[in-house]
Amino acid sequence: MKPVKVGLLGIGTVGSGTFHVLERNREEITRRAGRRIEIAMVAARNVERARGVVGPGITVVDDVRAVVTNPEIDIVVEVIGGTTVAKEAILAAIVRGKHVVTANKALLALHGNEIFAAAREHNVIVAFEAAVAGCIPTIKALREGLAANRIEWIAGIINGTCNFILSEMRNKGLPFDTVLAEAQRLGYAEADPTFDIEGIDAGHKVTLLSAIAFGIPVQFERAYIEGITKLEAKDITYAEELGYRIKLLGLTRRTPEGVELRVHPTLIPAERIIASVDGAMNALLIKGDAAGVTMYYGAGAGSEPTASAVLADVIEVTRLMRAEPEERVPYLAFQPDAISDVGVLPMADVETSYYLRVRVEDEVGVLADIARTLADSGISIDAMLQKGAGGADNETDIVILTHRTRERNFDAAIAAIVKLPAVKPQFARIRREDLV
Ligand code: HSE
């Protein structure tokens, strides 16, 4: 059979990994795919550098349009990232009947509905395993392995940069800024780390997971996103004393009122296996009604780990490109005419439990006043710590774990607590999840 021709958009970290893994494993990949897969054309900003990577036998151009309009190309692999050139290129490929493999979580989280609709209209596949958690086959697990389940929730450590920073803060007791600078020096964090540390990258990924888990449109604009920049090292220590680790989690959950879609630092019980996932690694828990909780672990970024997912998609597209569209796995796991319009819950309506740290003057009745304020809001206290008393300033930290309540309710209680005369205005509020 004629080889499948791939056009590669971008030959940076992921693109070069894709090229090298395909070269190295070509024989195995051909045995799996049933056809030889060839990278026939590469688009790169720096053509000379790209030629240095792929050698003389492959056409290298500096214009993505030359690839997506080339009638010889069967599959376009987009690994340039961003939401402008990549979007135009993918839509141009789709209208020309080319299948698309992309690692671009931002693009799909923001424009996935439009891209999948175009792909459906033109009977082509858009595959995106590499967009979530690098090499870990999460999309495959959700769309196929767990297809018999009613998915209840997903919770994931899906940003390696944040997990590296939080692990270092915990292990070394260092503040956020110091660890971020070290992460940048070691190449774990970008020069502009905003997307990672503000939780946006994790937000893109959990938005895609949520859509696939519950059969809803991608709705990044409705996700609640809070990063790790305001976390203090002492909260990591206090949480530890209470039996918890703090992780940046992407969370999505089905509730009777709507779907929760959120990213924020989260206290998780130290005895959960996912709590010991450290460094730049990713891990996800998926709770299905039949399977119970399943866990997935691996490298969430990097050249060859991400290439592993890209090429898995290329192999699958190669097998399925001749199949009728209805024989393929739907883009968002559910048939397009069965996508549900169940809404994403505003954060104020989400129910969870909380870690609260307040700084108070260490005097008679402060704790009682705080406890009463929580009780007045119907919030039950689960555990408490008092730390750092006895200093010259006569102040102390009070740390409280609450039972579950609505965010709106908890916000009202905090507003009342910080108005108490002996309570300082700065506080730390971190959500807590038991993950069972
Ligand atoms: N920057 C991401 C991370 C990987 O740190 O996990 C790509 O999404």
Side-chain angles (χ1 to χ4, degrees):
M1 215 182 307
K2 207 163 105 331
V4 167
K5 304 270 186 194
V6 172
L8 187 57
L9 309 183
I11 188 100
T13 306
V14 179
S16 56
T18 301
F19 176 80
H20 291 306
V21 175
L22 180 58
E23 287 285 292
R24 190 171 73 231
N25 297 341
R26 188 183 304 281
E27 193 204 334
E28 294 262 316
I29 287 173
T30 307
R31 284 171 59 208
R32 287 192 161 110
R35 287 170 75 177
R36 187 177 159 88
I37 296 169
E38 283 175 3
I39 293 180
M41 202 172 183
V42 172
R45 263 196 308 239
N46 186 335
V47 171
E48 282 317 302
R49 199 188 143 276
R51 285 211 178 99
V53 176
V54 300
I58 295 174
T59 308
V60 180
V61 294
D62 64 0
D63 181 3
V64 295
R65 276 168 303 187
V67 178
V68 299
T69 58
N70 181 344
E72 294 287 302
I73 299 295
D74 303 299
I75 304 174
V76 169
V77 172
E78 183 274 308
V79 285
I80 48 181
T83 53
T84 51
V85 175
K87 182 180 176 199
E88 275 171 36
I90 284 177
L91 289 173
I94 288 171
V95 298
R96 286 167 179 80
K98 299 184 193 309
H99 304 283
V100 172
V101 172
T102 176
N104 195 332
K105 61 230 68 168
L107 179 62
L108 293 181
L110 295 171
H111 304 291
N113 300 324
E114 179 187 348
I115 289 170
F116 296 133
R120 188 180 176 208
E121 193 184 329
H122 293 277
N123 288 338
V124 297
I125 302 169
V126 173
F128 52 100
E129 185 64 71
V132 179
C135 69
I136 311 174
T138 50
I139 308 290
K140 191 88 175 168
L142 269 171
R143 290 202 313 193
E144 297 178 56
L146 296 171
N149 286 258
R150 183 174 159 87
I151 302 298
E152 294 178 8
W153 53 260
I154 301 173
I157 297 171
I158 45 178
N159 185 270
T161 305
C162 288
N163 204 47
F164 175 83
I165 292 173
L166 293 178
S167 305
E168 290 289 288
M169 286 175 74
R170 169 179 173 260
N171 296 338
K172 300 183 178 163
L174 292 171
F176 172 80
D177 291 336
T178 309
V179 175
L180 172 61
E182 177 69 356
Q184 285 172 312
R185 198 183 62 75
L186 293 172
Y188 285 113
E190 309 273 346
D192 177 0
T194 312
F195 260 46
D196 290 321
I197 62 178
E198 295 295 357
I200 300 162
D201 175 74
H204 291 148
K205 294 168 183 166
V206 76
T207 296
L208 296 175
L209 291 172
S210 182
I212 293 167
F214 306 124
I216 57 175
V218 287
Q219 299 173 70
F220 175 70
E221 68 288 354
R222 309 211 46 195
Y224 172 83
I225 295 178
E226 179 183 315
I228 61 168
T229 53
K230 299 197 173 61
L231 261 189
E232 291 187 37
K234 69 177 172 182
D235 292 313
I236 294 176
T237 307
Y238 295 165
E240 193 93 10
E241 289 185 35
L242 289 158
Y244 291 84
R245 300 270 168 83
I246 299 179
K247 296 289 183 189
L248 183 79
L249 287 190
L251 277 154
T252 186
R253 176 182 277 122
R254 186 201 297 266
T255 77
E257 290 86 33
V259 169
E260 296 178 6
L261 180 55
R262 47 192 170 111
V263 173
H264 49 69
T266 312
L267 266 74
I268 55 179
E271 67 267 22
R272 300 278 177 276
I273 298 171
I274 195 172
S276 53
V277 170
D278 269 351
M281 299 305 280
N282 281 198
L284 288 103
L285 300 175
I286 303 177
K287 172 91 184 277
D289 66 339
V293 177
T294 51
M295 179 166 166
Y296 309 81
Y297 169 85
S303 178
E304 293 206 357
T306 312
S308 162
V310 167
L311 285 167
D313 277 347
V314 172
I315 293 164
E316 176 152 315
V317 172
T318 300
R319 287 196 203 108
L320 288 176
M321 55 202 299
R322 293 222 176 81
E324 292 300 319
E326 58 273 15
E327 290 165 8
R328 300 173 186 155
V329 181
Y331 309 107
L332 294 179
F334 292 71
Q335 296 299 334
D337 57 4
I339 293 293
S340 150
D341 61 359
V342 59
V344 173
L345 279 180
M347 197 59 203
D349 290 335
V350 165
E351 199 183 288
T352 184
S353 50
Y354 295 88
Y355 164 107
L356 171 67
R357 169 180 49 83
V358 283
R359 185 99 185 137
V360 302
E361 286 166 28
D362 194 2
E363 52 190 45
V364 176
V366 185
L367 184 54
D369 287 345
I370 294 172
R372 190 172 315 110
T373 310
L374 288 169
D376 288 347
S377 298
I379 299 170
S380 171
I381 294 174
D382 182 28
M384 212 215 82
L385 265 184
Q386 182 171 336
K387 301 296 291 183
D393 59 4
N394 195 40
E395 289 178 6
T396 184
D397 285 331
I398 289 182
V399 177
I400 289 171
L401 295 185
T402 75
H403 286 293
R404 289 172 72 80
T405 185
R406 274 202 202 279
E407 179 114 344
R408 180 193 314 286
N409 201 27
F410 190 72
D411 284 346
I414 295 180
I417 287 170
V418 295
K419 283 198 192 115
L420 294 169
V423 177
K424 307 289 161 195
Q426 296 77 25
F427 64 87
R429 177 270 301 276
I430 308 171
R431 298 166 188 92
R432 174 169 72 122
E433 293 289 335
D434 286 336
L435 304 181
V436 285

